[in-house]
Amino acid sequence: MHSQNVCTPETILELAEYFGVGVSEESAEFYLLPIVKAAAEIPQDTAAPSYKSKISICKPPDIENIRFLCFKSWWNEDLESADLTFRDNGWQAGGGLGKRYIGLKFDLAQKNFHVQIDSTQQSVKISNMKHVTAKNGSPLQCWDLHVGAKLDILGKTVTLMQASLETSLWIDSHKKKMARLKAELEELVKKYRYRPFVNAIAISKESKLPGGASLRSLIDQISHIIQVLADFRPALAAKYRQRLESAANPAQ
């Protein structure tokens, strides 16, 4: 049973209707971010009386000690079945299309994955996975995980579709820190170089969905700008490289 001081999926759905945020029951917990932001912006004394206690519950969680980055994905695939099934184009073998869901948790401390795959036929849990890679086969770090990222999980290419509230806030927090560092570096480099950076460096890759910012892209862009700065101010570039290492620390 849910505690009264926990923002349950039912409460989320009620607040979604109140704030006009479109949320399906299936994805309620993973679309809490816009509701939390809306709740934080509205003065509690101006809220409808029946919603005051619910709004006070839905406060941004503490992400200082976050342990896992949590994502969801899903896809449709053919269901294996020896039975004949009547389809629009006649009798065919197989069970038709079925939806498969996957939950992915990345342990920031242990640097491994916990995976749960669910379908209408079975549920499979795999813990302490080390061999989840990027689509190109390279090892993954927390900075590579965001909504829209494509991973290779057990030979299957999986696109991360949703991030939990805590994960979205964690990604957003690190994105803001890195974006400030990048902007500071860009202004500094302008003193020594008049040529603008190409779009691959100047423009950040980011989905509009919660948790969609690519931190890896930001880190790579900042690294490139630091390298440019090193051509003019090597000692200063070294200091900024240390700041980047500090910013790219999951515990920070």
Side-chain angles (χ1 to χ4, degrees), residues 29-203:
E29 291 177 322
F30 276 73
Y31 271 106
L32 182 55
L33 181 61
I35 299 171
V36 167
K37 287 184 174 180
E41 291 172 0
I42 186 172
Q44 193 167 338
D45 57 355
T46 65
S50 60
Y51 286 95
K52 283 185 178 180
S53 62
K54 297 184 174 99
I55 290 174
S56 66
I57 290 171
C58 286
K59 295 179 179 178
D62 178 17
I63 59 170
E64 292 298 322
N65 299 310
I66 187 172
R67 174 71 184 274
F68 296 101
L69 300 182
C70 303
F71 297 89
K72 279 186 178 180
S73 187
W74 56 86
W75 63 89
N76 292 314
E77 63 180 29
D78 286 326
L79 300 176
E80 295 183 3
S81 174
D83 297 333
L84 288 174
T85 303
F86 187 76
R87 312 254 175 82
D88 292 339
N89 57 349
W91 291 95
Q92 296 181 13
L97 288 177
K99 204 160 192 176
R100 191 177 291 273
Y101 300 88
I102 185 168
L104 184 79
K105 294 171 65 177
F106 179 76
D107 189 321
L108 289 167
Q110 300 298 323
K111 297 181 174 55
N112 58 24
F113 291 87
H114 301 269
V115 178
Q116 178 169 337
I117 303 174
D118 296 309
S119 70
T120 55
Q121 298 172 320
Q122 62 181 343
S123 178
V124 178
K125 292 184 179 180
I126 307 172
S127 299
N128 303 317
M129 285 185 65
K130 295 283 189 181
H131 302 296
V132 177
T133 65
K135 192 177 178 181
N136 62 8
S138 60
L140 289 171
Q141 294 181 301
C142 58
W143 315 114
D144 302 298
L145 303 175
H146 61 90
V147 172
K150 296 183 183 296
L151 315 183
D152 187 299
I153 302 176
L154 301 175
K156 170 76 176 178
T157 298
V158 175
T159 301
L160 300 182
M161 308 288 277
Q162 293 178 343
S164 68
L165 172 65
E166 291 84 356
T167 300
S168 296
L169 291 173
W170 185 90
I171 291 173
D172 188 59
S173 174
H174 282 280
K175 179 196 76 172
K176 289 177 179 178
K177 292 177 185 177
M178 293 180 186
R180 287 195 295 268
L181 178 58
K182 179 186 175 187
E184 183 178 330
L185 274 163
E186 286 174 327
E187 286 300 312
L188 181 58
V189 169
K190 285 180 182 178
K191 298 178 181 179
Y192 309 101
R193 164 178 154 151
Y194 301 106
R195 186 170 69 255
F197 288 109
V198 297
N199 287 343
I201 303 300
I203 300 176

